[in-house]
Amino acid sequence: MILNAHSCYSLRYGTLSAEEMVADAIEKGYEAIALTDINNTTAALKFVSICTGKIKPIVGVEFRNDDELLFVALANNNEGFRQINEALTQKNVSGRSYASPENIFDNCYLVYPHQKGEARHLKENEYIGVRLTDLKKILTEKKEVQKKYVILQDTCYKDRNGYELHKKLRAIDRNLLLSQLQPGHIAGHGDYLITRQKLLGYFEPFQHIIENTKRLVESCSFEFDFKEHKNKKTFTGNAYEDKQLLRKLALIGLKERYGGNNKVALERVEKELAIIDQLGFSSYFLITWDMVAFSLHHNYYHYGRGSGANSVVAYCLKITDVCPIELDLYFERFLNPKRHSPPDFDIDYSWKDRDKIYNYMFGKYGSGNKAALLGAMVTFQDSSIIREMGKVHGLPKDEIDRLIKYPESPLNKTEICREILKHYAAIENFPSIRSIHAGGMLISEAPLTCYTALDLPPKGYLTTQFDMHIAEDIGFEKLDILSQRGLGHIKEAGELILKNKKIQIDTHQVEKFKTDARTNELLETGNTIGCFYIESPAMRGLLRKLKCSDYLTLVAASSIIRPGVAKSGMMKAYIQRTRYPGNFKYLHPVMEEQLKETHGVMVYQEDVLKVAHYFGGLDLADADVLRRMMSGKGKNSTRFEQIEKKYYENCSLRNYDPGVAREVWRQIESFAGYSFAKGHSASYATESYQSLYLKTHYPLEFIVAVINNFGGFYNTKVYVYEARRLGGKICLPCVNKSEYTTTLYRNEIFLGFVHVKSLQQELAMKIGQERERNGIYLSLENFKLRTRVSLEQLIILIRLDALRFTGRGKRELLWEAHMLYNQRDVKRKDLPESMFAEPAINWTLPKLINSKIEDAYDELELLEFPVSLTEFDLLKTKFRGDCTVGELMIYVGKNIRMVGNYIAHKSLRTAGGEPMAFGTFTDVNGDFFDTVNFPPCLRAYPFKGWGAYLILGKVTEDFGVPAIEVEKMARLEVVLDERHE
């Protein structure tokens, strides 16, 4: 009967996981334990599931204001748990300190600390908690006073080591040195679990306190059904009407998607609807449809992906644009009678639109705390552990850095370093801060406070204190409303095309895009910069190796690019078989029949289902259970062994060669753990085709949209350079042409003020707004008066030549600016804006010359990339390499020198743990090439960031795609800015 136990979810306080805490209580003879984490119920339901059948769980919370213990609330039933959550939520939403409990806890027991509780007039459900440290104090008290006493022994660590770890966590939490901790900051020396027998022995003289405690524990009862679905049960208010509405909507969509006579599609829809109804997911589909319908009505571009793409009903409801029938996607991959874990839909929105969707969903479904975002937990990881531990021990930053980078250094053989490393493993993966899931949302039938307290983070939407794993365990299906910049590219490109070309593009016409010859040509050549999932160096290389020029090959490429597939050798096998289809044999006729599309290679998770079903004789539901267990989801060794045994029995009944059966099982085992769902791949491929089509036919509108949505895999300069390569004329910001974001006038691209470093956002937006209201700026003085720009901000704009409309050079304008700003102007901030143009003062100055090199350095400083010149123009050397990218194949097997402008590199480790890298560069023509930097080379010639490099290495090729295996590499010297030499 432990009434006050803190798990590690008492953040930066408790040191035990819920599992450790329960196991310790059972070992020490207790029959009941209360989890009372500080000001949160994050782990409450997880704790209940751990206790079930082992020890009686009591759920509660220790309410505190900062370090001040107010009281412990223990739920005596489920309603009491809700009241605790409501109180926590109210405090989190209001931001106020906890007040007196009053009448809000009538289904809870409240236990006050001994000293504070004495002064209260206690109600029937209120008690005073007595710790072991209080026993001497109560010896002299009358029993009449003690009649409301209960045992309140705290526990938050297990032993001496746990106490030391607890102190470190408290110092981290309060950002103090260990030596600065005060008694009130930390738990007591005795706040650990002693045996039940020993505890009762201490209270032997106070039998009435023991009896009070027993009665309290016996009267607490908390029951929870973990299997029941907790989501909103109906959309219409009636389950039968939900079923009918979903069928009606699905059939309307069926006619639109497939025409009126597609029997295969109709049969699939009817089958899916039956399973959806059987498992009680009609409302979940309808709520998702409602959100999508709202999106379509308001032109908020969305994209449905994930395993939901396996559903024809979802396709008919326009939740996804992936046709499961075309791709032979199994509905059982998404939902089946044997799948106990709930499904979820992943719906992507532009980062600009997602909050509008949240507002709609919370407005429609959130009343009464019935909608919330999913919480997440940030844990202590890797170097952050050492950094935090080092700070509380008072280590200087350079010593902490050394301990992180060189843990075996002799300089680290100190007592403090040993102490830090000793506790490293203990704190690793410990919860540290509650956060928000990337996009998960719950819509509940009952108030969410029946299950958790709710936080109100700065984002402004209620958020559960538990994470997606607990949500799934207790029966919630989350709805993922995700933010993606790729959709912002597509939406804004469509708007620019309509504005500039007066052409309305329906980007949902993916079938048209798939058959567009020019689009497929762009895909095959890997000219995919800016195109969502297929713009990375690795993906562009893969597209070229595959000669990928169609949708189905792109779907496969989107899956085999994943690290697990590449590492297993399956990527190379797939490329080989795709390029040379006659040079391999299928393992078995069933493999040819089921995997002909992927040349006998298992590429998708669905391939595991197909092979297990058609070759191994497992039903589809069992096959999906197998796939999930191999992916680490719902691992159950007994169930796995049953399925494996069933597989081999079926193979024996089918008279398969035992060696072939074993090899197929080996492939299933080795593949399923890292495979990618075909629906995921198809979703990525579909969105990639939308981007590709826009880039092919409207390249400048598309690339400007990419720039305005702040790119994707690369930084802004790469997309600016790509715009130039596509025929755009890149123009520096101009106060009479540019907006906050980048603008396109025919083929002229004016960079937006948002890209100018150190330019205040208010001014960056005001320049265009003022010009829109009162016309173009007439002079430097006119610009100054109308925008009230400070001298410092004006200098930034002049250095970027943003006032070139005046016809004056940058140096002349700088002189003029300083003359305009006398001391009175600098100090006066209250002068009204001038609404009228004033006559400009004519200054007579000597002719001042500005060089292109100076311009380029100004641009590098203020934009982080040059516009007036290229990186190649800044080099001291005129050498541009032995060849260009277009000529590399001529030199395969030979050593050459290339000059490349650094774009990016990807670091990884060899099988032996040594660092290596893949680099990406462009040649003088702007064409991309890749390098391989093996460990010896990388150690001797590391990447040094921005600039052009001279690269010496051997040209290699893989399926017709060249790369350079680097031997030596050095960043080339540039012409210096004479102003700063």
Side-chain angles (χ1 to χ4, degrees):
M1 44 189 184
I2 299 298
L3 300 188
N4 195 23
H6 301 123
S7 76
C8 57
Y9 287 95
S10 289
L11 300 178
R12 305 183 180 204
Y13 190 98
T15 66
L16 298 170
S17 68
E19 291 87 350
E20 289 172 325
M21 196 174 66
V22 171
D24 194 33
I26 293 170
E27 182 184 337
K28 290 189 166 99
Y30 291 95
E31 298 168 355
I33 183 170
L35 176 68
T36 55
D37 279 322
I38 298 169
N39 294 345
N40 81 88
T41 57
T42 304
L45 296 179
K46 178 181 179 181
F47 162 76
V48 170
S49 70
I50 294 167
C51 290
T52 301
K54 302 172 186 174
I55 189 172
K56 180 175 182 175
I58 301 171
V59 292
V61 160
E62 182 177 291
F63 282 83
R64 290 191 179 199
N65 283 330
D66 197 16
D67 286 323
E68 181 191 6
L69 169 59
L70 303 178
F71 57 89
V72 174
L74 302 170
N76 64 357
N77 52 35
N78 291 59
E79 177 60 17
F81 183 54
R82 186 191 67 77
Q83 289 175 349
I84 290 171
N85 287 324
E86 291 279 4
L88 289 169
T89 302
Q90 186 177 2
K91 185 266 181 185
N92 293 337
V93 171
S94 69
R96 294 191 295 268
S97 298
Y98 291 111
S100 176
E102 300 300 335
N103 298 317
I104 60 174
F105 291 108
D106 54 352
N107 281 274
C108 298
Y109 292 110
L110 305 184
V111 183
Y112 300 94
H114 178 251
Q115 295 296 332
K116 295 180 182 177
E118 290 176 329
R120 296 185 59 86
H121 177 68
L122 299 178
K123 300 174 185 174
E124 186 179 348
N125 66 328
E126 295 181 320
Y127 292 86
I128 295 173
V130 178
R131 298 181 175 90
L132 291 179
T133 53
D134 297 323
L135 286 177
K136 289 183 179 179
K137 301 173 189 174
I138 68 171
L139 280 171
T140 58
E141 293 177 357
K142 296 179 180 179
K143 285 198 174 182
E144 186 65 25
V145 178
Q146 300 176 17
K147 65 181 181 180
K148 297 288 281 186
Y149 284 2
V150 292
I151 301 171
L152 190 67
Q153 182 59 22
D154 295 352
T155 177
C156 75
Y157 54 87
K158 189 172 182 178
D159 50 28
R160 182 182 178 85
N161 280 336
Y163 180 64
E164 293 302 318
L165 180 60
H166 163 75
K167 289 199 298 183
K168 288 179 173 61
L169 289 171
R170 298 306 297 135
I172 289 170
D173 183 59
R174 301 192 71 87
N175 197 25
L176 296 172
L177 296 174
L178 283 167
S179 59
Q180 294 174 317
L181 285 173
Q182 300 299 312
H185 297 154
I186 55 178
H189 283 281
D191 286 0
Y192 61 91
L193 212 57
I194 60 176
T195 65
R196 179 176 181 271
Q197 184 178 5
K198 196 171 182 180
L199 179 66
L200 293 180
Y202 282 121
F203 279 88
E204 180 69 25
F206 308 96
Q207 283 297 314
H208 57 289
I209 298 180
I210 296 175
E211 292 304 317
N212 282 348
T213 308
K214 285 182 178 179
R215 280 195 296 273
L216 187 154
V217 168
E218 287 168 2
S219 64
C220 288
S221 175
F222 185 85
E223 297 179 357
F224 193 83
D225 185 347
F226 286 90
K227 294 182 179 179
E228 179 195 18
H229 293 311
K230 308 300 188 301
N231 283 60
K232 183 173 170 60
K233 295 189 183 301
T234 67
F235 177 75
T236 62
N238 179 283
Y240 178 75
E241 289 180 10
D242 278 4
K243 175 184 175 181
Q244 294 300 103
L245 176 59
L246 183 61
R247 188 172 192 279
K248 176 185 175 183
L249 293 170
L251 293 178
I252 291 171
L254 176 72
K255 187 173 182 180
E256 185 176 341
R257 292 288 201 182
Y258 296 102
N261 299 305
N262 192 318
K263 293 182 179 178
V264 173
L266 177 60
E267 183 179 330
R268 175 73 177 260
V269 165
E270 295 291 4
K271 172 189 170 184
E272 288 188 15
L273 287 172
I275 295 175
I276 291 166
D277 179 58
Q278 176 190 342
L279 297 179
F281 286 116
S282 292
S283 64
Y284 182 70
F285 271 76
L286 287 169
I287 288 169
T288 310
W289 162 81
D290 175 47
M291 182 178 74
V292 167
F294 171 78
S295 308
L296 292 171
H297 179 72
H298 291 278
N299 197 30
Y300 300 146
Y301 189 72
H302 81 281
Y303 203 85
R305 60 177 175 85
S307 56
N310 289 49
S311 167
V312 175
V313 170
Y315 180 59
C316 291
L317 297 179
K318 295 187 178 177
I319 293 170
T320 174
D321 280 331
V322 175
C323 173
I325 294 174
E326 175 192 12
L327 295 170
D328 194 24
L329 300 180
Y330 288 77
F331 182 64
E332 287 80 3
R333 166 67 182 81
F334 177 61
L335 192 63
N336 70 70
K338 293 187 180 181
R339 178 174 174 173
H340 299 296
S341 61
D344 56 25
F345 281 115
D346 298 336
I347 313 295
D348 287 340
Y349 285 94
S350 163
W351 61 284
K352 297 178 180 178
D353 294 336
R354 183 171 68 161
D355 282 355
K356 299 167 189 172
I357 305 302
Y358 278 149
N359 288 339
Y360 173 73
M361 298 299 282
F362 273 91
K364 183 162 185 176
Y365 300 103
S367 177
N369 291 336
K370 292 186 178 180
L373 301 185
L374 254 177
M377 194 60 65
V378 178
T379 58
F380 286 104
Q381 292 291 331
D382 305 326
S383 61
S384 70
I385 300 173
I386 294 177
R387 199 164 295 285
E388 293 286 1
M389 290 277 202
K391 281 161 59 179
V392 303
H393 278 281
L395 286 184
K397 182 180 182 300
D398 58 340
E399 291 187 29
I400 295 173
D401 291 341
R402 185 181 65 222
L403 184 58
I404 291 169
K405 293 179 181 177
Y406 312 107
E408 300 302 322
S409 169
L411 296 173
N412 293 329
K413 306 303 181 185
T414 66
E415 186 178 342
I416 289 177
C417 289
R418 282 193 292 269
E419 179 74 8
I420 290 170
L421 294 174
K422 181 177 78 172
H423 284 114
Y424 179 93
I427 197 176
E428 189 173 21
N429 296 319
F430 252 46
S432 175
I433 301 169
R434 289 199 302 277
S435 182
I436 309 175
H437 184 272
M441 182 177 184
L442 301 183
I443 299 174
S444 176
E445 176 68 20
L448 281 161
T449 45
C450 293
Y451 317 107
T452 178
L454 302 172
D455 291 328
L456 188 65
K459 190 169 181 65
Y461 300 105
L462 289 173
T463 303
T464 65
Q465 289 191 335
F466 57 54
D467 62 16
M468 60 178 285
H469 303 292
I470 295 177
E472 183 175 321
D473 290 342
I474 67 175
F476 274 108
E477 305 95 44
K478 74 180 190 302
L479 179 60
D480 276 330
I481 306 172
L482 301 163
S483 172
Q484 191 210 106
R485 293 194 181 274
L487 294 183
H489 304 169
I490 294 169
K491 180 180 179 181
E492 185 163 339
E495 292 169 351
L496 282 171
I497 293 163
L498 181 61
K499 178 182 176 182
N500 294 347
K501 300 279 200 311
K502 311 303 179 193
I503 298 173
Q504 179 80 52
I505 301 292
D506 181 0
T507 50
H508 290 283
Q509 290 183 315
V510 182
E511 295 305 313
K512 172 186 172 182
F513 303 161
K514 291 176 189 175
T515 57
D516 183 76
R518 286 177 57 197
T519 299
N520 284 323
E521 182 182 346
L522 201 73
L523 178 64
E524 185 175 359
T525 56
N527 284 313
T528 54
I529 297 297
C531 297
F532 180 50
Y533 190 70
I534 55 174
E535 67 166 337
S536 70
M539 195 67 190
R540 288 186 294 103
L542 177 59
L543 295 174
R544 293 167 65 198
K545 291 172 187 177
L546 284 171
K547 291 187 176 294
C548 178
S549 60
D550 63 85
Y551 174 66
L552 290 179
T553 306
L554 180 57
V555 174
S558 299
S559 182
I560 64 172
I561 193 66
R562 300 185 73 229
V565 187
K567 189 175 180 181
S568 72
M570 300 302 287
M571 177 195 284
K572 190 165 186 177
Y574 181 78
I575 298 170
Q576 183 82 33
R577 294 181 180 194
T578 301
R579 292 289 296 272
Y580 310 107
N583 292 354
F584 72 93
K585 290 183 179 180
Y586 288 96
L587 192 60
H588 188 276
V590 173
M591 303 292 276
E592 179 176 11
E593 178 186 333
Q594 296 302 321
L595 302 179
K596 195 162 189 177
E597 178 189 316
T598 55
H599 315 295
V601 175
M602 282 188 283
V603 170
Y604 313 108
Q605 289 181 353
E606 283 78 5
D607 293 340
V608 177
L609 270 71
K610 287 195 286 188
V611 171
H613 177 58
Y614 289 104
F615 180 86
L618 301 176
D619 66 45
L620 287 172
D622 273 338
D624 187 56
V625 171
L626 173 69
R627 175 198 63 77
R628 287 181 59 78
M629 285 194 294
M630 287 181 172
S631 299
K633 300 173 182 176
K635 188 72 174 177
N636 182 311
S637 57
T638 303
R639 184 79 176 105
F640 182 84
E641 288 168 5
Q642 290 172 349
I643 292 174
E644 182 180 8
K645 181 181 178 183
K646 191 174 181 180
Y647 165 86
Y648 278 112
E649 287 174 352
N650 291 341
C651 289
S652 178
L653 289 172
R654 296 180 178 200
N655 296 317
Y656 291 155
D657 181 297
V660 172
R662 282 194 299 273
E663 173 59 19
V664 172
W665 182 257
R666 185 197 69 77
Q667 289 187 18
I668 290 174
E669 270 194 304
S670 65
F671 181 74
Y674 57 73
S675 56
F676 203 37
K678 192 174 184 180
H680 282 281
S681 294
S683 300
Y684 288 144
T686 301
E687 186 178 335
S688 297
Y689 255 96
Q690 293 168 316
S691 292
L692 271 169
Y693 181 85
L694 294 171
K695 183 175 183 182
T696 301
H697 295 278
Y698 309 97
L700 296 185
E701 284 82 2
F702 174 77
I703 207 69
V704 167
V706 173
I707 292 169
N708 283 341
N709 284 272
F710 304 98
F713 186 87
Y714 306 98
N715 60 32
T716 298
K717 80 167 186 179
V718 175
Y719 302 108
V720 172
Y721 292 169
E722 179 72 357
R724 180 184 286 147
R725 194 184 69 81
L726 293 169
K729 180 184 177 184
I730 308 302
C731 303
L732 289 165
C734 170
V735 298
N736 272 340
K737 287 279 191 177
S738 294
E739 305 289 348
Y740 181 69
T741 56
T742 297
T743 48
L744 175 66
Y745 302 94
R746 295 188 175 87
N747 74 323
E748 290 186 324
I749 297 172
F750 282 82
L751 295 176
F753 293 112
V754 66
H755 300 297
V756 182
K757 308 305 171 189
S758 302
L759 192 69
Q760 295 169 356
Q761 184 181 31
E762 182 182 359
L763 176 62
M765 300 184 75
K766 186 177 184 179
I767 291 169
Q769 294 166 354
E770 165 61 22
R771 189 180 68 229
E772 180 73 21
R773 286 194 300 265
N774 297 307
I776 63 171
Y777 300 104
L778 302 175
S779 66
L780 174 63
E781 185 176 18
N782 178 255
F783 176 76
K784 167 189 174 282
L785 290 169
R786 288 166 59 182
T787 61
R788 306 303 297 164
V789 60
S790 69
L791 177 60
E792 294 79 8
Q793 293 285 292
L794 183 57
I795 289 171
I796 291 171
L797 293 170
I798 291 173
R799 289 178 62 202
L800 271 180
D801 212 12
L803 285 98
R804 56 190 178 275
F805 76 90
T806 62
R808 295 175 182 267
K810 289 162 60 172
R811 293 195 178 189
E812 290 178 84
L813 288 171
L814 286 171
W815 273 101
E816 185 177 337
H818 280 88
M819 292 175 182
L820 280 173
Y821 281 81
N822 57 35
Q823 196 65 23
R824 179 171 173 269
D825 286 331
V826 172
K827 290 183 178 178
R828 291 286 303 277
K829 301 293 183 184
D830 57 340
L831 292 174
E833 294 186 14
S834 173
M835 298 300 294
F836 304 97
E838 298 183 15
I841 301 172
N842 292 317
W843 306 97
T844 303
L845 294 169
K847 188 170 180 63
L848 302 171
I849 299 172
N850 209 70
S851 74
K852 285 286 186 184
I853 297 295
E854 291 175 359
D855 291 342
Y857 274 100
D858 283 340
E859 291 152 18
L860 272 167
E861 179 185 339
L862 297 171
L863 295 173
E864 296 187 345
F865 55 88
V867 172
S868 301
L869 299 174
T870 70
E871 282 88 348
F872 293 96
D873 296 326
L874 292 174
L875 295 177
K876 284 185 176 180
T877 179
K878 300 297 181 185
F879 182 67
R880 296 294 180 261
D882 293 330
C883 71
T884 60
V885 169
E887 301 164 324
L888 274 175
M889 286 299 290
I890 301 171
Y891 295 89
V892 171
K894 299 176 182 177
N895 273 30
I896 65 162
R897 295 171 301 166
M898 285 285 287
V899 175
N901 182 31
Y902 171 77
I903 298 299
H905 75 273
K906 179 181 180 181
S907 300
L908 63 159
R909 292 190 177 273
T910 64
E914 292 189 274
M916 64 170 292
F918 293 105
T920 302
F921 297 83
T922 55
D923 69 4
V924 69
N925 298 324
D927 295 323
F928 286 80
F929 68 93
D930 297 322
T931 66
V932 183
N933 302 63
F934 287 114
C937 164
L938 190 61
R939 280 195 298 270
Y941 307 102
F943 290 93
K944 294 184 177 180
W946 173 88
Y949 288 69
L950 178 62
I951 300 163
L952 172 67
K954 183 172 73 173
V955 180
T956 63
E957 68 87 24
D958 190 22
F959 296 101
V961 177
I964 297 177
E965 193 176 294
V966 178
E967 294 180 8
K968 294 181 180 180
M969 181 176 77
R971 189 167 61 179
L972 291 168
E973 289 189 17
V974 294
V975 178
L976 295 179
D977 183 353
E978 293 181 359
R979 294 171 298 180
H980 305 298
E981 269 193 27

